Amino acid sequence: MKTFNWATLGCGVIANQLAQALQAQGRNLYSVANRTHEKAIEFAKKYNIEKVYDSIDEVFEDEKVDIIYISTPHNTHIQYLRKALKAKKHVLCEKSITLNDKELEEAIQLAKENDVILAEAMTIYHMPIYRELKNKACQLGDLKMIQTNFGSYKEYNMNNRFFNPNLAGGALLDIGVYSLSLMRYFMSSCPDQILSQVKMAPSGVDEQVGILLTNPDGQMATITLTLHAKQPKRAMLAYDKGYIEIYEYPRGQKATITYTEDNHQEIIECGSTDKALQYEVLDMEDAILNGKESMHLDYSKDVMKIMSDLRRSWNFKYPEEKENGI
């Protein structure tokens, strides 16, 4: 079986998890690129990485690199995606994969033209619990309603990315993408009716959001998000014959099914939260080797269109979008 050379563009929290995921499989990252060269050197020493680039562009030119993991801020993704895909590198890009649907359409076209795999690093699509629940759902009848919550308390601090428009901050791109991805994974089709309410933070990004969605099959979803108040990361899927509850759903490993007829419960445990990046790595490599659609770029495309349409309805654009007339 082919061994792939992985490069990380960025060396923050997710890059550390990627390096650890590969080491858990008896491998190391091949190379690291980062805006701050000194941080890249420290990162390489920490994880016994063979190659450190003097400039970011060198990662795209390195013929030994098979897959690039991009984990820089959202608003930098498209510039690196363009270079990586044109250099015929497979790319796994941290969520949210781009700022908007126009950028994603461009990236998808580049991936097709260069015959490489492009995917979003969305844990929902790769945690084993969700594949198991999708199989179980066949016994529960028709899906009627999905409810998801995600709340995190972040200080109004412009030095971090959460509330900074110059770093593509805001609830939708940072945490809403998880809720919408879970919704899309279980819904039979993409929602075509969407209503929302939004509260903007003092910095001008979306701080708190409520979304109601309905698809052509009559399945509905409600999503509540906040970056300035804690609430549980809880998902509930209601079917004819029962409902499923999942806590800590972005990297879920346990769910409870309550059956409508007699109220008895079934506990489903599958996979491990700690192995989230390992599952993404293995699925990505499998997609490259076998041409499988296991990375669900089609779902990422639907979710990005929903998020872009929501922000348009709020008249909320990031600086790059204003500059580019998007």
Side-chain angles (χ1 to χ4, degrees):
M1 180 175 176
K2 178 177 171 57
T3 299
F4 290 97
N5 283 337
W6 284 77
T8 177
L9 205 173
C11 52
V13 173
I14 297 298
N16 277 268
Q17 292 178 4
L18 174 66
Q20 292 159 17
L22 286 168
Q23 286 187 338
Q25 298 171 19
R27 302 187 274 166
N28 287 328
L29 273 166
Y30 162 69
S31 61
V32 54
N34 195 64
R35 186 182 62 179
T36 306
H37 186 60
E38 292 76 14
K39 288 184 179 179
I41 292 173
E42 291 174 9
F43 186 87
K45 288 179 180 178
K46 183 177 180 180
Y47 293 109
N48 194 29
I49 295 170
E50 177 182 336
K51 184 87 173 178
V52 181
Y53 303 105
D54 292 329
S55 70
I56 284 177
D57 282 351
E58 290 178 23
V59 69
F60 310 118
E61 300 163 1
D62 190 340
E63 293 182 356
K64 291 185 178 180
V65 171
D66 298 306
I67 310 168
I68 299 176
Y69 193 114
I70 298 174
S71 60
T72 55
H74 310 310
N75 56 332
T76 64
H77 288 178
I78 188 60
Q79 61 179 290
Y80 297 135
L81 284 169
R82 287 174 182 138
K83 292 179 179 180
L85 297 169
K86 286 178 181 178
K88 300 188 183 301
K89 306 300 184 186
H90 303 290
V91 180
L92 184 56
C93 187
E94 183 56 24
K95 58 82 190 168
S96 293
I97 188 168
T98 54
L99 275 189
N100 54 60
D101 54 345
K102 302 301 182 188
E103 289 183 352
L104 182 52
E105 286 171 8
E106 178 188 349
I108 290 172
Q109 184 59 36
L110 284 172
K112 288 179 180 177
E113 289 173 0
N114 291 282
D115 194 28
V116 290
I117 298 292
L118 167 66
E120 182 176 39
M122 170 46 63
T123 53
I124 300 293
Y125 304 148
H126 309 290
M127 297 302 294
I129 188 73
Y130 292 110
R131 293 171 185 169
E132 181 67 18
L133 290 175
K134 211 164 191 180
N135 291 332
K136 283 282 183 181
C138 296
Q139 306 168 20
L140 297 176
D142 295 331
L143 176 65
K144 301 296 183 181
M145 171 74 76
I146 298 174
Q147 296 176 339
T148 65
N149 304 68
F150 198 136
S152 182
Y153 183 82
K154 307 295 183 186
E155 297 285 350
Y156 288 134
N157 180 356
M158 289 296 287
N159 291 323
N160 66 39
R161 64 185 173 81
F162 299 106
F163 291 108
N164 190 337
N166 296 317
L167 296 176
L172 196 60
L173 289 190
D174 192 66
I175 60 178
V177 66
Y178 287 114
S179 299
L180 289 163
S181 296
L182 182 139
M183 171 213 70
R184 184 65 193 93
Y185 186 79
F186 285 96
M187 275 191 167
S188 57
S189 59
C190 187
D192 60 349
Q193 300 178 57
I194 305 170
L195 298 171
S196 70
Q197 290 188 325
V198 62
K199 176 186 177 184
M200 294 298 185
S203 62
V205 302
D206 54 312
E207 171 188 320
Q208 194 159 287
V209 183
I211 313 170
L212 176 63
L213 310 100
T214 305
N215 71 5
D217 302 309
Q219 298 167 343
M220 300 177 69
T222 62
I223 293 172
T224 59
L225 312 168
T226 176
L227 280 178
H228 204 52
K230 192 70 176 175
Q231 62 173 337
K233 300 181 186 74
R234 174 182 175 271
M236 189 281 296
L237 297 89
Y239 293 82
D240 280 341
K241 300 176 183 178
Y243 60 90
I244 301 170
E245 293 177 286
I246 314 144
Y247 283 89
E248 301 299 325
Y249 65 85
R251 296 189 176 191
Q253 63 181 17
K254 183 177 180 180
T256 302
I257 302 176
T258 302
Y259 291 89
T260 304
E261 186 176 7
D262 58 5
N263 237 25
H264 86 273
Q265 293 186 325
E266 179 182 4
I267 306 298
I268 307 294
E269 295 186 72
C270 192
S272 171
T273 296
D274 296 337
K275 295 181 179 180
L277 269 291
Q278 291 186 48
Y279 302 134
E280 290 183 356
V281 165
L282 292 172
D283 279 353
M284 182 68 178
E285 293 184 349
D286 188 43
I288 294 168
L289 286 170
N290 301 308
K292 292 184 178 179
E293 296 297 323
S294 56
M295 302 309 290
H296 296 295
L297 188 61
D298 53 341
Y299 290 170
S300 293
K301 184 178 179 181
D302 286 345
V303 169
M304 183 55 65
K305 179 68 164 60
I306 290 170
M307 293 195 297
S308 299
D309 286 344
L310 283 168
R311 289 198 298 111
R312 290 183 188 109
S313 73
W314 304 337
N315 196 29
F316 169 33
K317 294 184 178 182
Y318 289 107
E320 294 87 353
E321 294 172 319
K322 293 175 182 176
E323 290 173 10
N324 297 321
I326 295 177

